[in-house]
C-alpha cells in the first residue's frame, strides 16, 4: 500500500463527508458510538435530556433529581459499501482519495441511512391517523399542524416539514413559501431546503411518500460503528457529529485487490409521537 495517509485520516474524512450528505438525518436527534461490540439486531439506549416541570413554591422546596431519559432503538440495518482499489487509487493523497473513492462510498451509505429513517416516516404517513392534504389547498392542513404544535407547547425552534415528491408538487405554486437564504452553505440539507411555512423549515426528500411535520426530538437515528477490524491491514472506527462509521483498507484474496470498505450499523425510532404530525396526499394510494 503506497498511500501516505493513515486509516484514521480516512475515517475522519469519511465522517465529514457523511454528515455533509445528510438531509433527514440532519433534522432529527442523532446518537453515535464507535467501537461498538454488538451487531445488527442489537438494542441500544439513546440518552435524552428529560423535560422538567416547575412547581409553585408553597413554603417548602421540593427537589427533583436530574435525570436522563432513555430511548431504546434497534439497529436494524448494516449499510456497507465495498470498493476494489487499483494501484492508482492507493497512490492518491487523502484529498483525492476522499473525492474519488470515499465520496461515492459515503454517498451510497448516506442514502441507505436516509432511507432507513424515511421508511419510519413513511409508515406514519401511510397510517389511518395521517392528516390528508388536499393538493388544491395544501396550506390548510399545514397551517392547522402549526397551530396544533403551539397547543402542544412544542418549542418553536427546530420544527421541520419533510415532504416527498408528491407533496412537493402540490407546494410548487404556493406563494407563501418563503425561500430560505442559504448564506453560502452548500450542505445537502441546505440544498434540500425549499423555504419556510408557518414556522416549519420545509425540506424535500426523494425517499418520502406524503409528508411529516415534526420537531427535531420526535425521531432518533442511532448509528454505531463496529469495532475496528484487527485482522485487516488498516481499520478505524470513529464518530463525528452524531454519525459513526468504520473504515477499512485491506487486501482481499477473493478479488485479488486492495479494497476500501465503509460500514456502519443504524436504526431509527419514534421518540415522542406527540411531536410529529404525518400527512398523506388526497387521492394517494400509499
Amino acid at each position: 500500500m503506497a498511500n501516505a495517509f493513515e486509516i484514521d485520516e480516512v475515517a475522519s474524512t469519511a465522517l465529514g463527508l457523511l454528515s455533509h450528505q445528510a438531509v433527514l438525518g440532519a433534522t432529527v436527534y442523532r446518537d453515535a458510538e464507535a467501537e461498538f461490540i454488538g451487531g445488527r439486531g442489537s438494542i441500544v439506549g439513546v440518552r435524552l435530556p428529560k423535560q422538567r416541570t416547575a412547581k409553585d413554591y408553597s413554603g417548602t422546596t421540593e427537589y427533583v433529581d436530574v435525570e436522563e431519559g432513555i430511548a431504546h432503538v434497534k439497529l436494524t440495518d448494516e449499510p456497507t459499501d465495498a470498493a476494489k482499489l487499483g494501484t492508482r487509487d492507493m497512490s492518491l493523497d487523502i484529498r483525492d482519495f476522499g473525492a474519488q473513492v470515499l465520496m461515492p462510498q459515503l454517498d451510497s451509505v448516506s442514502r441507505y441511512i436516509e432511507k432507513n429513517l424515511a421508511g419510519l416516516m413513511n409508515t406514519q404517513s401511510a397510517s389511518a391517523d395521517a392528516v390528508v392534504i388536499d393538493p388544491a389547498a395544501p396550506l390548510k392542513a399545514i397551517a392547522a399542524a402549526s397551530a396544533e404544535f403551539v397547543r402542544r407547547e412544542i418549542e418553536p425552534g427546530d420544527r421541520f416539514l419533510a415532504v416527498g415528491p408528491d407533496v412537493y408538487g402540490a407546494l410548487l405554486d404556493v406563494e407563501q413559501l418563503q425561500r430560505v437564504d442559504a448564506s453560502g452553505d452548500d450542505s445537502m440539507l441546505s440544498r434540500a431546503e425549499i423555504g419556510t411555512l408557518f414556522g416549519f423549515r420545509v425540506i424535500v426528500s426523494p425517499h418520502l411518500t406524503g409528508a411529516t411535520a415534526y420537531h427535531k426530538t420526535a425521531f432518533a437515528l442511532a448509528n454505531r460503528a463496529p469495532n475496528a477490524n484487527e485482522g485487516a491491514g488498516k481499520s478505524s472506527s470513529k464518530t463525528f457529529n452524531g454519525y459513526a462509521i468504520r473504515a477499512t483498507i485491506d487486501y482481499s484474496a477473493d478479488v485479488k485487490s486492495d479494497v476500501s470498505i465503509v460500514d456502519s450499523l443504524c436504526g431509527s425510532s419514534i421518540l415522542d409521537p406527540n411531536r410529529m404530525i404525518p400527512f398523506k396526499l388526497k387521492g394517494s394510494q400509499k
Side-chain angles (χ1 to χ4, degrees), residues 176-274:
Q176 292 92 329
L177 195 63
Q178 301 172 356
R179 184 68 184 98
V180 174
D181 180 8
S183 302
D185 184 0
D186 67 344
S187 70
M188 193 67 76
L189 174 59
S190 176
R191 282 176 276 164
E193 190 170 349
I194 61 172
T196 61
L197 276 175
F198 307 112
F200 294 114
R201 295 171 61 184
V202 185
I203 60 173
V204 180
S205 171
H207 311 309
L208 291 175
T209 56
T212 304
Y214 57 98
H215 187 269
K216 181 177 182 177
T217 53
F219 296 95
L221 175 62
N223 258 170
R224 295 294 185 267
N227 277 329
N229 192 335
E230 296 182 2
K234 296 181 178 181
S235 186
S236 179
S237 176
K238 285 188 173 295
T239 63
F240 172 74
N241 197 27
Y243 287 98
I245 61 99
R246 178 175 63 181
T248 301
I249 296 178
D250 198 10
Y251 178 81
S252 172
D254 292 339
V255 295
K256 297 182 179 179
S257 171
D258 287 317
V259 294
S260 172
I261 302 173
V262 176
D263 60 349
S264 183
L265 294 158
C266 70
S268 51
S269 178
I270 297 172
L271 295 178
D272 187 350
N274 190 56

Side-chain angles (χ1 to χ4, degrees), residues 122-146:
N122 289 340
T123 299
Q124 306 308 307
S125 295
S127 71
D129 295 330
V131 176
V132 176
I133 291 180
D134 184 348
L139 294 185
K140 184 176 181 180
I142 298 171
S146 181

Side-chain angles (χ1 to χ4, degrees), residues 23-30 113-131 149 158-164 166-167 189 201 203-221 267-272 275-281 286:
V23 175
L24 294 177
T27 68
V28 302
Y29 189 91
R30 297 187 304 280
I113 294 174
E114 288 279 298
K115 289 179 181 179
N116 180 278
L117 179 57
L120 179 60
M121 292 183 175
N122 289 340
T123 299
Q124 306 308 307
S125 295
S127 71
D129 295 330
V131 176
F149 270 37
D158 291 326
R159 293 184 187 179
F160 296 91
L161 175 66
V163 305
D166 52 353
V167 177
L189 174 59
R201 295 171 61 184
I203 60 173
V204 180
S205 171
H207 311 309
L208 291 175
T209 56
T212 304
Y214 57 98
H215 187 269
K216 181 177 182 177
T217 53
F219 296 95
L221 175 62
S268 51
S269 178
I270 297 172
L271 295 178
D272 187 350
R275 289 175 167 251
M276 67 161 186
I277 296 177
F279 301 96
K280 65 178 67 173
L281 196 65
K286 296 181 179 180

Side-chain angles (χ1 to χ4, degrees), residues 54-190:
K55 299 182 179 180
D56 184 28
Y57 179 70
S58 58
T60 303
T61 301
E62 182 179 349
Y63 295 93
V64 180
D65 292 340
V66 176
E67 298 179 352
E68 283 186 316
I70 299 291
H72 295 95
V73 181
K74 184 176 183 178
L75 300 176
T76 56
D77 294 64
E78 190 173 358
T80 303
D81 189 292
K84 291 173 59 176
L85 301 176
T87 302
R88 180 178 176 278
D89 297 317
M90 295 308 299
S91 65
L92 298 171
D93 61 27
I94 185 62
R95 177 177 299 180
D96 289 338
F97 188 86
Q100 297 181 28
V101 179
L102 284 181
M103 179 59 87
Q105 288 189 285
L106 264 296
D107 179 65
S108 67
V109 172
S110 176
R111 278 187 283 112
Y112 194 108
I113 294 174
E114 288 279 298
K115 289 179 181 179
N116 180 278
L117 179 57
L120 179 60
M121 292 183 175
N122 289 340
T123 299
Q124 306 308 307
S125 295
S127 71
D129 295 330
V131 176
V132 176
I133 291 180
D134 184 348
L139 294 185
K140 184 176 181 180
I142 298 171
S146 181
E148 181 61 24
F149 270 37
V150 174
R151 279 190 287 271
R152 296 179 185 182
E153 300 183 9
I154 298 174
E155 302 91 321
D158 291 326
R159 293 184 187 179
F160 296 91
L161 175 66
V163 305
D166 52 353
V167 177
Y168 176 49
L171 294 175
L172 285 177
D173 295 327
V174 172
E175 294 181 0
Q176 292 92 329
L177 195 63
Q178 301 172 356
R179 184 68 184 98
V180 174
D181 180 8
S183 302
D185 184 0
D186 67 344
S187 70
M188 193 67 76
L189 174 59
S190 176

